[in-house]
Amino acid sequence: MMHATTLIVAEGEPAAWPDPPGDLSAEAVGIPQAVVWGRIEDWTRVRWGERNASFTVEAEGDACWRAPLEPFTPSATLQWDHEDETYLPVTLRGTPTGGLRLPAGFYQLDGLVGFSDAPPERVLEAYRRLAEFLAEAVRDPSKVGVSAHTIDIGGAISESSTRPASWLAKSIHLSGAADLLRPWRRLGAH
């Protein structure tokens, strides 16, 4: 079996994001759902909340291709015609592993990605952890991005905290959400 390479992924946003868990703090509720779900989706290959997606794929030969985002339900399968310099409809066969069998060529595969039902509890817990972690910036913006913080009020009372300067960028890891999302991790993710 030859190799197929996904060259371009174009993904829309869902009409509605799944409901977040109900036990969030006021600050965490105030963080836009698109922000939290976006961070989760950057880490995972699975989507919750159906949306349109389009994949441009190059197949070297008789290749098996699986969408990098799941679940994917194709609605249009098109193959590039070099003579007409346009994409034309083509019928593709499925594979036993849930992918599509692609003869050599370039393809545009359009359809829907994502589940329409609620995410599993583990994913909702990842959402909660990440939202609460991000809410820390709302609770105490003076600590956002600092690598060290010390307050000393007269010798007997002091406070000290250290945080990596990239703590918001690494929030998916530092919050513990990444560990919960491992079963749905994007292939090749760090």
Side-chain angles (χ1 to χ4, degrees):
M1 185 85 32
M2 300 300 283
H3 184 69
T5 304
T6 303
L7 303 172
I8 301 171
V9 175
E11 174 187 9
E13 284 195 6
W17 295 101
D19 291 334
D23 59 345
L24 297 175
S25 68
E27 293 91 350
V29 169
I31 295 176
Q33 287 186 20
V35 170
V36 181
W37 280 117
R39 304 281 286 206
I40 288 172
E41 290 185 351
D42 285 344
W43 181 250
T44 61
R45 69 184 183 286
V46 176
R47 301 294 186 252
W48 291 276
E50 286 183 324
R51 79 281 312 267
N52 292 319
S54 180
F55 304 97
T56 303
V57 180
E58 179 183 15
E60 293 177 359
D62 192 25
C64 176
W65 175 81
R66 282 188 60 118
L69 303 177
E70 298 174 10
F72 175 60
T73 305
S75 60
T77 54
L78 307 168
Q79 184 175 20
W80 182 255
D81 183 295
H82 292 285
E83 227 172 84
D84 292 338
E85 294 186 349
T86 188
Y87 282 103
L88 300 174
V90 63
T91 301
L92 299 172
R93 296 184 332 205
T95 67
T97 59
L100 294 171
R101 186 176 219 102
L102 306 178
F106 288 90
Y107 295 86
Q108 181 174 324
L109 307 165
D110 300 329
L112 290 176
V113 295
F115 289 107
S116 59
D117 51 346
E121 286 301 316
R122 192 168 168 159
V123 174
L124 291 174
E125 174 61 17
Y127 183 103
R128 188 189 65 70
R129 288 184 186 187
L130 182 57
E132 293 296 348
F133 189 85
L134 295 173
E136 180 66 25
V138 174
R139 284 187 206 100
D140 192 353
S142 67
K143 293 184 182 179
V144 175
V146 299
S147 58
H149 170 77
T150 304
I151 296 175
D152 189 354
I153 304 173
I157 301 173
S158 66
E159 173 186 324
S160 179
S161 62
T162 303
R163 182 181 286 154
S166 59
W167 74 282
L168 281 175
K170 295 180 179 181
S171 60
I172 194 84
H173 299 285
L174 296 173
S175 67
D179 290 335
L180 291 170
L181 297 169
R182 284 189 192 280
W184 302 281
R185 190 173 74 188
R186 186 183 290 254
L187 301 175
H190 22 266

